[in-house]
Amino acid sequence: MLLVFPTLASAQGSVTLASVNVQLWPEYDQPSMLVLIDVELPETTLLPVDMTFHIPQDSNLVAVAAYSAEGNLVNAMYEGPMTVDGLQSFTVTMNATKARFEYYQPLVIDGDKREYSYLWNGDFAVNAFGIRVLEPVDTTSISTTPKLGPAVVESGLTYYESNALELQNGEQYTLDLKYTKTSDALV
């Protein structure tokens, strides 16, 4: 049994994702951060394949889904989450090249000031990593480190997004978000 795990870990680390698109929706439908992560495998990937992802210890995994050929989200088979080295891990069986997982994570709320820090922990190399932040309603100021692109308005909502980045296996990406808002209204 011990001989199997190093082989699996080695295979996991050798996978390069075609893309990862992270969306951060603060105070969307509850006073916390909704994190939506879309992952895409290269078209040449032999399916099915098991992929293990890590999320913060204080997060609440609420959905794991795959995209059907028609582009609809359908529940995916997964195991976990379980705590590993101070993080939660879950393993999803990828029967399609595209999947999404969603979780909630607490915000730091101090009066009208909010803070949040997102971390991609570098489980996989990524050819095109992008991040997009939804501006909460009643926001009077917002800033990110690193700085994201100019505001884009879609369907009456304001978003900020990064350019696509290439990340190596083990390379982390952190985005710190700070904003001030005048109410506790949700999006």
Side-chain angles (χ1 to χ4, degrees):
M1 192 74 162
L2 290 174
L3 297 176
V4 173
F5 288 112
T7 305
L8 290 175
S10 151
Q12 167 99 6
S14 66
V15 173
T16 297
L17 297 173
S19 66
V20 171
N21 292 297
V22 177
Q23 294 186 68
L24 302 177
W25 292 1
E27 300 183 72
Y28 182 71
D29 58 355
Q30 57 183 270
S32 60
M33 179 64 73
L34 175 57
V35 180
L36 303 98
I37 301 177
D38 289 296
V39 298
E40 183 175 0
L41 295 166
E43 291 293 327
T44 56
T45 304
L46 297 176
L47 300 172
V49 62
D50 288 343
M51 307 281 297
T52 299
F53 295 94
H54 295 89
I55 59 177
Q57 181 65 37
D58 62 352
S59 58
N60 177 26
L61 183 65
V62 293
V64 179
Y67 283 91
S68 68
E70 298 79 32
N72 300 317
L73 286 168
V74 293
N75 288 336
M77 291 180 29
Y78 71 97
E79 293 181 18
M82 60 190 122
T83 301
V84 176
D85 297 329
L87 295 170
Q88 293 184 62
S89 73
F90 65 96
T91 301
V92 60
T93 300
M94 301 277 292
N95 290 308
T97 58
K98 296 179 184 177
R100 169 182 280 186
F101 56 94
E102 302 175 9
Y103 61 88
Y104 287 94
Q105 193 176 8
L107 293 167
V108 175
I109 300 176
D110 181 15
D112 60 354
K113 297 184 183 333
R114 273 75 160 160
E115 293 185 20
Y116 175 79
S117 185
Y118 170 79
L119 171 66
W120 170 260
N121 68 356
D123 283 333
F124 304 97
V126 182
N127 288 336
F129 178 91
I131 193 161
R132 187 176 210 211
V133 175
L134 170 64
E135 182 177 287
V137 295
D138 299 331
T139 297
T140 58
S141 68
I142 188 167
S143 67
T144 61
T145 305
K147 186 172 174 56
L148 298 179
V152 175
V153 178
E154 293 177 6
S155 301
L157 299 173
T158 303
Y159 297 89
Y160 303 87
E161 53 191 19
S162 70
N163 292 323
L165 304 168
E166 184 176 347
L167 300 176
Q168 302 302 312
N169 184 35
E171 185 176 357
Q172 296 183 335
Y173 177 90
T174 301
L175 180 97
D176 294 318
L177 169 66
K178 295 180 181 182
Y179 63 97
T180 303
K181 60 183 280 178
T182 58
S183 77
D184 291 330
L186 302 175
V187 175

